[in-house]
Amino acid sequence: MAERLVVVGGDAAGMAAASQARRRRDPDELEIVTFERGHFTSYSACGIPYWISGVVPDRDQLVARDPATFRERYDIHVRLRHEVTAIDLGRREVVARDLAGGGEVRERYDTLVYATGARPERPEWACAGVAGVFGVQTLDDGTALLDWLEGEPRPRRAVVVGGGYIGVEMAEALLQRGLSVELLEQAAQPMSTVDPELAELVSTAMRGVGIVIRTGVTVTDLRERDGRIAVVDTSSGPIAADVVVLGLGIRPNSALADAAGLPIGPTGGVRTDRRMRVPGVPGVWAAGDCVETLHRVSGMPVHIPLGTHANKQGRVAGINIGGGYATFPGVIGTSVTKVCDLEVGRTGLRERDALAAGFEFVSVIAESTSRAGYYPGARPMTVKLIAERPSGRLLGAQIVGWSEAAKRIDALAVALWNEMTVDEMTALDLGYAPPYAPVWDPVLIAARKAVDALTR
Ligand SMILES: Cc1cc2nc3c(=O)[nH]c(=O)nc-3n(C[C@H](O)[C@H](O)[C@H](O)COP(=O)(O)OP(=O)(O)OC[C@H]3O[C@@H](n4cnc5c(N)ncnc54)[C@H](O)[C@@H]3O)c2cc1C
């Protein structure tokens, strides 16, 4: 009889695990069943802001593989609209509710992959079910938001609550659709993924395109008129709104795992070892936004929910389940985003992270340009480096600039991953031609400045 792999969650991590296991084991050896409570598999939540803005015209473009493709090409069976409600580790069974039909099914497993993603933060005021208030976690959320934006009366005033990268991307998307946009942020600045000096550049750029940013503001309530959102009440007064988008942060979706008795780490994510096995629970694996992972610079467990990690972790779990050998070595917190034409990249530790991890460090900010100063289209680029004192080892880097900025962070991520010092970095053989960089690339200029700061 074939063994059975059951996967809970049919997106990046879950389907990467299922696909990799299938590459190594035939259907007569391994049966694979995925439970997914939503309407889609292998979809790109990352693309939602660009679909809402209209840059990506069609929702189907965000779906990499649908259940029919998984069944026909890979013999992976997806039970769509089935929510797993319990995991019985003793009996090796999952219990799921059919969200369409209402019935309950039980499925035996030999191997289980827990890949339920993250759940969005929802304070009490956001749970009242006011019409016109949306999250952007799933394609169903995106569909509901688009229906509202295209419906009558046509919304004109949008309020985005939360200034993380999703809030910032959604503010841009709504602006591009022609709405007036106000972004509310509880902290002193939006875009806290970078240090305040660089976040300030992002705020300035957002204001420059017409997004109103209100900081130090807490939402206290939502009010409706005629059954539709009308007012967002805040600590600094009421704001009129025809649509509200929530980007309040997310937490690991680990409640089901916790209830089943899987180990949960200090960040709230499911604990795994390097092979993505759940320690102490034979046959159970976990991957993606529901797990915590190791930060390679701080050495601390972290929850950094990104598609790039979910895909890699799912792949690692699937290779191991298929009989191969793979490990996930941890993360360094690299991410990129954009707001209108401004690009933002970061890797490693911010100053506050370096302090929390107990490092002594210097930090420098270097101003440069994206291309040779004389070459048409050269735009300002700001690079911040954080280096350990006295070793000079790179601890973190951030870049904000107008063009060719974001992906420059990858060179810095590679340096950081390989524990290079800023001194070693000054000699990096990076590409140069006037249309692409000044003769001293902004990355090299920043490294030189960090070396100076260390020797001072
Ligand atoms: C708007 C937005 C923009 C983003 N942009 C980026 C980006 O630019 N770069 C980047 O790296 N990352 C980005 N991300 C993050 C990225 O989308 C996630 O990290 C990635 O989707 C995580 O994959 P996952 O499989 O772990 O979880 P998910 O994609 O959340 O998938 C988990 C699946 O499990 C299902 N599920 C949960 N519980 C159950 C249950 N009990 N039973 C059955 N099914 C269940 C859910 O319906 C879901 O489909 C973005 C996310 C959003 C929302």
Side-chain angles (χ1 to χ4, degrees):
M1 202 169 86
E3 281 181 31
R4 185 175 300 144
L5 164 62
V6 168
V7 178
V8 187
D11 194 22
M15 296 323 283
S19 305
Q20 288 297 324
R22 169 59 73 235
R23 277 166 67 108
R24 285 162 182 81
R25 295 177 73 183
D26 292 336
D28 54 353
E29 240 190 287
L30 185 72
E31 204 184 311
I32 305 180
V33 181
T34 296
F35 287 90
E36 167 52 53
R37 69 180 173 197
H39 288 94
F40 304 93
T41 50
S42 289
Y43 54 91
S44 170
C46 316
I48 292 174
Y50 309 104
W51 166 41
I52 300 295
S53 73
V55 168
V56 177
D58 186 1
R59 181 183 66 191
D60 290 348
Q61 290 177 266
L62 301 185
V63 179
R65 285 194 194 113
D66 62 10
T69 309
F70 278 112
R71 190 178 55 250
E72 284 152 23
R73 283 207 214 144
Y74 306 98
D75 223 320
I76 294 171
H77 299 270
V78 180
R79 294 194 169 194
L80 226 46
R81 305 289 288 135
H82 277 70
E83 179 168 37
V84 173
T85 52
I87 300 168
D88 186 333
L89 295 178
R91 298 164 71 109
R92 291 201 163 210
E93 259 182 14
V94 299
V95 183
R97 193 171 53 231
D98 177 350
L99 298 176
E104 189 179 274
V105 293
R106 288 175 171 268
E107 190 82 52
R108 181 194 60 77
Y109 66 81
D110 299 291
T111 305
L112 181 75
V113 172
Y114 188 84
T116 54
R119 62 177 175 78
E121 294 279 10
R122 289 290 177 267
E124 214 179 308
W125 54 260
C127 299
V130 174
V133 180
F134 301 92
V136 284
Q137 199 71 21
T138 64
L139 295 190
D140 290 332
D141 293 338
T143 304
L145 172 58
L146 262 188
D147 286 349
W148 185 266
L149 293 173
E150 287 168 358
E152 295 295 340
R154 193 58 56 109
R156 290 181 296 107
R157 296 161 302 186
V159 170
V160 176
V161 189
Y165 80 93
I166 290 178
V168 165
E169 288 177 359
M170 285 308 303
E172 178 190 352
L174 293 163
L175 188 79
Q176 285 181 340
R177 289 191 68 90
L179 284 89
S180 69
V181 182
E182 294 198 33
L183 182 131
L184 313 184
E185 167 58 49
Q186 206 167 9
Q189 264 164 346
M191 209 63 204
S192 61
T193 50
V194 290
D195 283 329
E197 315 90 310
L198 276 79
E200 184 58 39
L201 300 176
V202 181
S203 296
T204 305
M206 289 175 76
R207 290 192 171 106
V209 294
I211 296 169
V212 175
I213 301 176
R214 295 177 192 251
T215 54
V217 170
T218 312
V219 174
T220 52
D221 207 357
L222 302 174
R223 273 186 280 150
E224 43 184 11
R225 194 176 305 128
D226 302 328
R228 299 170 67 89
I229 180 71
V231 177
V232 179
D233 281 316
T234 76
S235 52
S236 56
I239 300 170
D242 307 319
V243 59
V244 172
V245 172
L246 306 174
L248 295 159
I250 54 176
R251 294 218 179 282
N253 187 7
S254 55
L256 190 60
D258 195 18
L262 302 186
I264 307 295
T267 68
V270 178
R271 283 180 47 223
T272 68
D273 65 14
R274 288 176 151 247
R275 296 184 71 189
M276 305 314 297
R277 278 181 300 219
V278 176
V281 193
V284 180
W285 307 69
D289 282 3
C290 59
V291 307
E292 68 177 26
T293 190
L294 171 79
H295 198 294
R296 290 170 61 94
V297 184
S298 69
M300 318 245 251
V302 286
H303 178 239
I304 301 184
L306 286 172
T308 171
H309 309 323
N311 277 291
K312 292 188 190 101
Q313 291 171 344
R315 175 176 176 273
V316 165
I319 290 172
N320 288 316
I321 292 166
Y325 181 86
T327 58
F328 183 77
V331 302
I332 55 173
T334 309
S335 67
V336 289
T337 190
K338 78 172 189 72
V339 47
C340 300
D341 290 337
L342 190 75
E343 301 181 9
V344 186
R346 62 154 289 186
T347 188
L349 306 182
R350 297 163 298 187
E351 280 195 22
R352 79 195 85 144
D353 307 317
L355 282 171
F359 284 109
E360 289 205 9
F361 60 87
V362 298
S363 60
V364 294
I365 291 184
E367 305 289 354
S368 180
T369 52
S370 55
R371 305 171 180 180
Y374 55 80
Y375 194 87
R379 302 290 304 270
M381 191 178 297
T382 305
V383 180
K384 176 168 183 172
L385 297 186
I386 298 170
E388 186 183 23
R389 188 203 289 276
S391 73
R393 174 190 163 198
L394 184 66
L395 297 177
Q398 299 157 31
I399 304 187
V400 173
W402 292 98
S403 56
E404 295 110 28
K407 286 300 275 179
R408 264 195 173 84
I409 204 72
D410 287 345
L412 289 158
V414 172
L416 190 79
W417 187 276
N418 288 296
E419 301 185 3
M420 290 181 77
T421 65
V422 284
D423 193 26
E424 288 167 330
M425 285 168 57
T426 58
L428 278 174
D429 187 4
L430 304 182
Y432 159 65
Y436 298 109
V439 68
W440 283 92
D441 189 276
V443 165
L444 300 179
I445 293 173
R448 279 174 44 178
K449 205 164 171 184
V451 172
D452 289 348
L454 283 160
T455 48
R456 231 176 276 135

